[in-house]
Amino acid sequence: MSHWDPEPVEGRASTGSATDGLDELRDEAIAAARRTRRRGSWYVAEHIVSAMRAYGWTIIVGAVGQPVLYLVGLALGLAALIQAPIQDGSQQVDYVVFVAPALLMSAAITVASEEFSYPVMAGFKWRRFFYGFSASPLSSGQIVTGEVIGVMARVVLTAGLYYLFLLLFPAVGNPAVSWVMILVGILAALAFGTPLLAYAASLEEDTGQFALVQRFVFMPMFLFSGTFYPLDTLPVWLQWIGWISPLWHATELGRDLSYARDTGGVMIAVHLIVLFAFAIGGYVVARRIFARRLAA
């Protein structure tokens, strides 16, 4: 054996050690990527909720102040003029009790309209955090799901506080059943919000589209979906707005729960089918639009 033998042995040992180190780093990176893939939607949701802290006080003030203002205004103002009970189907209820479910559903949909409009455009155009997510192991579908989960966290807070104020007034019936209105409010927010999420994700520039959505989609829906009076009191040529409105379908379910109105299983099924169709349809379209934009 020559005197050169030790040097190649050291070199091979050094190469082996470096290779082992690279293997460990690769294994750690793969494990981190798998972990991110497995929990990716929750990481995105965590970011969305954390970003809301920047305007958290407006969320709290809005969630508390809106039900107080509406209920005081309606209970002490409008309800004082409308002293006769409202005939809703086969039941008669006080006016505040009649409008309470509609107000809760409107509040949930309002949150969805806020969070699925400009914040989504910010994620693509101004702050571009959706592209940051996409540069990680997250899939576009996980990003959409995380966005929805994050916004629903705010909807749960808003609908939950609203329901507590309805109990305090009192403007709802049996709490053992009426609390399910919170879940219906979440479904209503999804039914209105996911189509809006898909639309917002498709926009390249802000030229006032969201203002038009508020004025010509949200506002007519709020006024002509049986929010303040039964839908069948409107002319037939206006009732179609309620029939295609997530707000009306959610409100009808809320009234069934609030004062045990019996509208029949068929209508309950129709309301649920419409709400789920809006929510799932919007979600599927949003996933496709996110995938196309993030791959570009």
Side-chain angles (χ1 to χ4, degrees):
M1 182 175 296
S2 72
H3 65 282
W4 296 104
D5 286 345
E7 291 185 4
V9 171
E10 286 184 0
R12 284 196 296 274
S14 176
T15 302
S17 177
T19 303
D20 292 343
L22 289 174
D23 288 342
E24 291 178 3
L25 290 175
R26 184 193 61 189
D27 292 341
E28 290 177 2
I30 291 174
R34 286 174 176 167
R35 189 167 56 250
T36 303
R37 277 280 186 180
R38 191 169 56 251
R39 306 173 183 172
S41 297
W42 295 105
Y43 289 148
V44 175
E46 180 185 15
H47 171 84
I48 298 299
V49 173
S50 297
M52 289 179 188
R53 290 187 302 181
Y55 53 96
W57 69 272
T58 62
I59 293 175
I60 299 299
V61 170
V64 174
Q66 185 179 358
V68 170
L69 290 176
Y70 268 108
L71 290 171
V72 168
L74 291 173
L76 303 181
L78 192 56
L81 297 175
I82 308 174
Q83 296 182 353
I86 301 296
Q87 186 71 36
D88 188 14
S90 61
Q91 287 187 257
Q92 291 185 339
V93 293
D94 292 339
Y95 185 70
V96 175
V97 175
F98 174 76
V99 298
L103 296 178
L104 189 150
M105 305 306 163
S106 300
I109 290 176
T110 299
V111 170
S113 70
E114 292 174 1
E115 295 292 345
F116 286 135
S117 53
Y118 287 108
V120 175
M121 177 166 274
F124 280 109
K125 182 175 175 60
W126 299 307
R127 297 176 59 199
R128 300 178 66 83
F129 52 80
F130 289 138
Y131 293 101
F133 295 148
S134 184
S136 72
L138 294 173
S139 68
S140 58
Q142 288 177 310
I143 296 172
V144 175
T145 303
E147 171 76 18
V148 171
I149 293 172
V151 172
M152 287 306 108
R154 183 183 166 188
V155 171
V156 170
L157 173 67
T158 300
L161 287 174
Y162 219 118
Y163 178 73
L164 289 178
F165 280 106
L166 295 181
L167 285 176
L168 291 175
F169 261 74
V172 292
N174 185 6
V177 177
S178 58
W179 69 270
V180 182
M181 286 197 301
I182 298 173
L183 302 181
V184 178
I186 296 170
L187 181 57
L190 288 170
F192 183 83
T194 57
L196 182 60
L197 168 65
Y199 177 63
S202 70
L203 298 177
E204 301 281 350
E205 300 290 339
D206 173 27
T207 56
Q209 298 95 329
F210 295 130
L212 295 178
V213 169
Q214 288 293 323
R215 291 169 185 168
F216 298 109
V217 178
F218 183 83
M219 189 56 68
M221 180 180 69
F222 185 64
L223 293 175
F224 301 114
S225 292
T227 307
F228 299 107
Y229 38 78
L231 185 65
D232 56 12
T233 60
L234 286 175
V236 174
W237 59 272
L238 273 178
Q239 291 184 22
W240 67 270
I241 298 176
W243 299 337
I244 63 171
S245 160
L247 176 57
W248 179 69
H249 291 282
T251 297
E252 289 296 287
L253 288 174
R255 285 170 178 154
D256 290 343
L257 293 165
S258 177
Y259 44 86
R261 187 185 59 175
D262 184 15
T263 56
V266 174
M267 284 308 301
I268 292 175
V270 169
H271 296 319
L272 289 173
I273 289 171
V274 171
L275 291 173
F276 275 108
F278 272 112
I280 295 173
Y283 176 74
V284 170
V285 175
R287 284 177 65 110
R288 292 180 178 177
I289 294 174
F290 268 67
R292 174 173 54 79
R293 289 200 65 175
L294 295 176

